Amino acid sequence: MPDIDDPFSEARARCPVHAAEFQGETLPMILSLKKVRAAAKDWRTFSSDAPRRVPIPSEEDVRTVRQYPLEVDPPVHAEYRKLVEPFFLRPKQPEVAAKTEALVHRLLADALSAESVEVVHDFAIPLQSHALTYLLNVDEKEAQTWIGWGIHVFKDGDGMSKGPFMQDYCRRMFETAEENPGEDFFSTLNRSTFHDRPLTMEEKLGFANIAFAGGRDTIIHTVTRIIAYFASHTEALALLREHPEHINTAAEEFFRVFMPLTHIGRVCPQAAELHGHPVPAGGRISLAWSAANLDPEVFDDPRTIRLNRRPNPHIAFGSGIHSCLGAHHARAIMRTLLRRLAESVAAITVSAAKELVEREKDYSRMVGYEELHARFQPR
Amino acid sequence: MPTVTFITPDQNRITIENADANLMEIAQTHAVPGIDGDCGGVCSCSTCHVYIPDEWRARVGPPGEDERTTLDFNDAVRENSRLSCQIEMTEALDGLVVEVAPSA
């Protein structure tokens, strides 16, 4: 029995591109890893210059701003990206790594002392939210607000109202930072310039929008699925304890198979064709990271989790110029989590679970959990 | 034990003696600029990209298929590109010189 379901295995075996319908829009999904990488590199044919239309389904109903630097093409893409890059490199700093270490230690200590923990809301969301304060260099108290936004700002519960709520929150944060500037994300963007002019509020909100929405469900679901995996594979905890040299490879393997983001879109400025699938000018295609990461042409036994898989040329963080800015952050969290789990947890028992399944007309894909009730047994 | 020299994009030469690991790990241990090795050496990120001078290419060998897949889509790829995480230092490579590729 494979560890991972692959809803695209039959379609991929037939053709590397599969036409699927999303809310009435049919668009070709690229399922093969090499072809996804090639399309991600070819930004002239497959453009990101499409405000609110890069995600699939599109986010035209849940936000008004363009996300920076995700939804722009070269050459301005690199200029926008540079403005926020220093924040996304912060997880590599020893003092930030120490804070992440202490956070994981604290949350695990709470989990180990409790009779039962609801892992999504009592562990993964607080972990993601507090760690994000370290990344953005803001007061850790802000995490309490973000925890209330749930698993996914736009999809969890009422995204139609939460999207504008988050945008209003960010606007207030920029205004507060204007009055009381510091070295945080909001103050830095207030001071930043683009082509010798200050950033507009729309641009600043666009940076903040993806900083909050982009790395949220991805980290939360990956953390929760790792814990569910260890619940059914206690021997894996022991393996990482005895062989800590596998922590990095294990983290990469979990990113390969557990990253919840099924795909991301690109827009074709001119009419194009993908393996016989026509795309009209202005039409969209899908770069299906999740399908590419299970491509049997690249990965031996792709549906089996191998904690020492190496090489592991996955694209869980995307590929090309738009590769995930938050990858350092995600890696720091998962590597710390794996090390701490192996050191302090003997076994995990799941008492109840409610899976979160992405249901589209052409496929269903398990992306994480809405709830996962578990008991952590100390070593 | 073998010696390896990294030439950084700003032409600094960093020579490391008693090199015993893969090139990415050696570079990280000695804080060689430009060798980030973000994915920890699994061939996913190409942030440990180096160029192999012609005189060393035969001894270092070509990239494997997985490595090739990752390198092919790197904007700075050249015919002599390798991912340093996939090159294990051995006595046969004593004196090896590699150029650190520019960051994306």
Side-chain angles (χ1 to χ4, degrees):
Chain A
M1 175 104 176
D3 295 319
I4 300 295
D5 283 336
D6 180 4
F8 304 105
S9 59
E10 287 180 21
R12 192 197 298 103
R14 284 195 302 272
C15 179
V17 178
H18 173 67
E21 188 181 322
F22 299 89
Q23 298 177 351
E25 177 187 7
T26 299
L27 48 91
M29 300 179 77
I30 308 178
L31 307 176
S32 115
L33 185 137
K34 289 178 187 174
K35 292 190 185 304
V36 169
R37 274 200 185 270
K41 189 174 179 179
D42 183 5
W43 58 269
R44 288 184 176 84
T45 306
F46 306 111
S47 167
S48 295
D49 184 10
R52 304 178 295 150
R53 293 185 67 216
V54 168
I56 301 169
S58 96
E59 294 181 348
E60 288 159 293
D61 291 337
V62 292
R63 60 179 159 100
T64 59
V65 294
R66 178 198 293 259
Q67 287 182 337
Y68 291 92
L70 180 69
E71 295 178 334
V72 286
D73 281 337
V76 292
H77 166 267
E79 297 171 62
Y80 278 117
R81 185 167 168 124
K82 271 190 190 139
L83 297 179
V84 288
E85 206 155 35
F87 283 94
F88 290 88
L89 290 171
R90 280 174 53 79
K92 290 184 154 192
Q93 295 174 10
E95 60 270 27
V96 176
K99 284 171 127 180
T100 305
E101 184 85 32
L103 170 65
V104 172
H105 179 71
R106 190 174 81 230
L107 288 167
L108 262 184
D110 290 348
L112 284 162
S113 63
E115 196 58 38
S116 178
V117 178
E118 200 288 279
V119 177
V120 177
H121 294 86
D122 296 340
F123 189 88
I125 292 178
L127 173 55
Q128 188 276 338
S129 297
H130 282 270
L132 187 60
T133 65
Y134 312 153
L135 180 86
L136 301 181
N137 200 24
V138 302
D139 193 321
E140 196 162 350
K141 288 201 301 276
E142 294 301 324
Q144 289 311 313
T145 301
W146 309 343
I147 286 169
W149 294 347
I151 298 172
H152 195 297
V153 179
F154 301 137
K155 292 182 189 167
D156 193 24
D158 184 4
M160 294 281 277
S161 63
K162 275 201 302 178
F165 181 83
M166 185 185 80
Q167 191 162 308
D168 288 345
Y169 167 86
C170 291
R171 187 186 298 273
R172 285 197 304 278
M173 292 298 281
F174 283 116
E175 288 167 355
T176 304
E178 196 76 62
E179 292 160 15
N180 188 16
E183 297 305 317
D184 58 282
F185 180 80
F186 299 98
S187 302
T188 301
L189 284 177
N190 280 341
R191 287 192 293 268
S192 296
T193 58
F194 179 78
H195 291 183
D196 299 323
R197 60 158 176 82
L199 290 177
T200 65
M201 181 57 89
E202 194 266 354
E203 288 167 324
K204 292 188 289 188
L205 290 172
F207 278 111
N209 197 284
I210 186 143
F212 283 111
R216 187 168 186 82
D217 60 319
T218 43
I219 285 184
I220 292 164
H221 286 317
T222 305
V223 166
T224 312
R225 292 193 73 181
I226 286 172
I227 288 172
Y229 175 79
F230 284 133
S232 56
H233 294 81
T234 302
E235 77 286 355
L237 277 173
L239 177 103
L240 293 183
R241 187 156 50 242
E242 287 160 24
H243 295 282
E245 70 273 18
H246 293 329
I247 296 279
N248 284 3
T249 52
E252 297 302 316
E253 181 70 340
F254 288 136
F255 288 129
R256 179 181 76 86
V257 295
F258 290 156
M259 192 55 87
L261 184 66
T262 300
H263 51 176
I264 206 153
R266 293 286 189 266
V267 172
C268 297
Q270 278 90 41
E273 187 179 299
L274 272 174
H275 273 264
H277 299 275
V279 186
R284 299 198 298 167
I285 62 140
S286 137
L287 307 178
W289 316 117
S290 60
N293 281 337
L294 298 176
D295 184 348
E297 271 196 21
V298 178
F299 302 100
D300 181 37
D301 202 3
R303 294 167 67 185
T304 297
I305 293 176
R306 292 183 187 162
L307 300 186
N308 61 350
R309 188 184 290 271
R310 184 178 178 186
N312 187 351
H314 69 79
I315 48 174
F317 296 110
S319 178
I321 59 166
H322 287 287
S323 66
C324 176
L325 266 171
H328 303 299
H329 181 60
R331 285 186 164 116
I333 290 173
M334 293 322 150
R335 289 172 184 177
T336 307
L337 176 67
L338 294 183
R339 197 175 60 256
R340 282 288 180 179
L341 282 169
E343 285 168 2
S344 59
V345 178
I348 299 168
T349 313
V350 170
S351 57
K354 190 174 176 188
E355 291 186 355
L356 184 60
V357 179
E358 181 176 295
R359 294 183 200 283
E360 299 291 347
K361 190 174 176 188
D362 292 271
Y363 68 87
S364 291
R365 178 173 178 259
M366 195 271 204
V367 294
Y369 292 92
E370 286 182 54
E371 292 177 21
L372 184 77
H373 297 268
R375 178 168 175 266
F376 289 66
Q377 185 186 325
R379 285 189 64 223
Chain B
M1 295 288 275
T3 295
V4 59
T5 298
F6 293 89
I7 302 175
T8 63
D10 53 4
Q11 299 304 306
N12 277 337
R13 293 176 72 92
I14 300 170
T15 298
I16 294 158
E17 295 177 351
N18 299 320
D20 181 21
N22 68 55
L23 282 191
M24 183 273 286
E25 290 167 342
I26 294 164
Q28 285 197 317
T29 303
H30 294 84
V32 174
I35 301 288
D36 294 334
D38 289 343
C39 73
V42 300
C43 235
S44 170
C45 69
S46 81
T47 59
C48 66
H49 182 189
V50 294
Y51 303 124
I52 311 295
D54 285 346
E55 60 270 30
W56 283 100
R57 285 179 67 187
R59 269 177 284 179
V60 172
E65 194 179 335
D66 291 316
E67 184 183 345
R68 183 86 259 166
T69 298
T70 299
L71 275 170
D72 276 349
F73 301 104
N74 185 301
D75 284 337
V77 69
R78 294 183 196 160
E79 202 182 343
N80 59 342
S81 285
R82 290 292 312 265
L83 295 179
S84 60
C85 67
Q86 302 301 305
I87 302 170
E88 202 69 31
M89 269 311 277
T90 62
E91 289 294 343
L93 296 180
D94 184 25
L96 175 65
V97 177
V98 299
E99 293 173 45
V100 178
S103 299

